[in-house]
Amino acid sequence: MTHLLVSFSLVEINNPDLKISIFQEGLLSKEPALGVWNYTMTNVDSVYDHGVLFVTKNENTYDIAVKFSNGILNGQDVVVKNNKVNFNINIAGLERVSFVLMIEGDKIMGESYSEKGSSAILGERQHPER
């Protein structure tokens, strides 16, 4: 399953038509988490301090891909409930990072937790170019 999501994420980023589809899904959905989110983080290595979150839904499950400057990581243990999003990622297969996020309209905020400490996260929903 992970290989499939990585492939999907790479296509999503490189294919403008599919990216617009996720934009529209997030904008038209009554589920506030869906969409593409630009974010910044504090207290992390520069490679992770900004990036893009892709939040999609396949029937009853949510998928999250996080694009950093050096690649893409897939979210695990994803839980989306109303305007709350929780998930984990594994950096280099060794360090587990947990994310707890809240969504208010087109803003996303929260924290991540790892062995190195916590980091604040702020972001905004991307809207398709017109």
Side-chain angles (χ1 to χ4, degrees):
M1 179 175 171
T2 300
H3 179 19
L4 178 63
L5 183 56
V6 169
S7 298
F8 172 78
S9 297
L10 291 174
V11 168
E12 194 61 50
I13 292 165
N14 293 324
N15 186 323
D17 292 334
L18 290 175
K19 194 169 186 179
I20 288 171
S21 175
I22 286 185
F23 282 133
Q24 291 170 341
E25 181 180 346
L27 294 172
L28 298 176
S29 174
K30 293 181 181 177
E31 298 186 49
L34 297 181
V36 179
W37 301 86
N38 292 320
Y39 74 88
T40 58
M41 293 177 65
T42 62
N43 195 31
V44 294
D45 294 338
S46 62
V47 73
Y48 304 113
D49 68 356
H50 67 280
V52 181
L53 291 172
F54 296 88
V55 183
T56 58
K57 186 175 182 182
N58 294 315
E59 295 189 22
N60 294 326
T61 61
Y62 292 86
D63 294 318
I64 294 181
V66 184
K67 181 182 179 286
F68 301 106
S69 62
N70 69 343
I72 297 172
L73 295 174
N74 296 312
Q76 302 169 348
D77 310 317
V78 177
V79 176
V80 176
K81 188 169 185 179
N82 300 320
N83 62 342
K84 297 177 185 177
V85 179
N86 298 332
F87 66 97
N88 301 302
I89 58 172
N90 288 323
I91 297 176
L94 302 171
E95 182 182 358
R96 189 163 183 86
V97 181
S98 298
F99 291 81
V100 177
L101 305 173
M102 295 284 298
I103 298 164
E104 291 182 8
D106 286 339
K107 304 282 185 198
I108 194 166
M109 64 201 83
E111 291 186 316
S112 69
Y113 304 93
S114 71
E115 292 177 359
K116 295 179 181 178
S118 64
S119 302
I121 303 167
L122 295 173
E124 287 189 13
R125 185 186 312 269
Q126 276 189 28
H127 292 275
E129 295 178 12
R130 297 178 191 235

